[in-house]
Amino acid sequence: MGPVAGEDAVCRAMEELAYNLGRADRLHVAGDLENMLSCTQALGRIADEIGMWKLHRVAEDVAQCIQDGDGVAVAATLARMARVGERSLYAVWDLQDLSV
């Protein structure tokens, strides 16, 4: 993959991450844990593919809490996932601003 295709892939992945972060929160508020689980797992796969290891690990933690049926832990790990995800996205955006 060349530099242009690589940049496009990272940009698409970032868009998907941002979308899934918001979607996971909306699904949690709606109490739709089944769809929240698949959303969180998708977010974790995307994070893993582009090397956002911490976000990947936290997404796995959220998924495990959903599967365990621990509502308090779901809320806590979801909040952590949002913080880690936002910091990760901002870091990549800042790097892109430096290269332009």
Side-chain angles (χ1 to χ4, degrees):
M1 180 180 306
V4 173
E7 186 174 337
D8 287 345
V10 169
C11 286
R12 278 193 309 275
M14 288 176 50
E15 288 174 7
E16 285 294 316
L17 286 174
Y19 172 77
N20 281 323
L21 282 168
R23 184 168 182 250
D25 188 55
R26 289 188 302 275
L27 290 167
H28 182 252
V29 169
D32 187 350
L33 296 180
E34 183 178 331
N35 284 319
M36 184 184 170
L37 177 61
S38 47
C39 174
T40 301
Q41 290 170 331
L43 189 148
R45 283 189 299 274
I46 295 165
D48 184 46
E49 288 174 8
I50 62 172
M52 291 184 174
W53 315 122
K54 185 180 274 188
L55 182 57
H56 169 72
R57 279 195 325 267
V58 176
E60 286 182 333
D61 292 342
V62 174
Q64 186 61 56
C65 292
I66 293 169
Q67 292 168 340
D68 291 346
D70 187 341
V72 174
V74 169
T77 55
L78 178 63
R80 183 162 189 258
M81 186 174 74
R83 288 190 306 272
V84 170
E86 287 175 14
R87 279 196 308 255
S88 298
L89 291 173
Y90 285 133
V92 172
W93 284 326
D94 287 345
L95 285 174
Q96 286 181 334
D97 287 344
L98 291 175
S99 66
V100 172

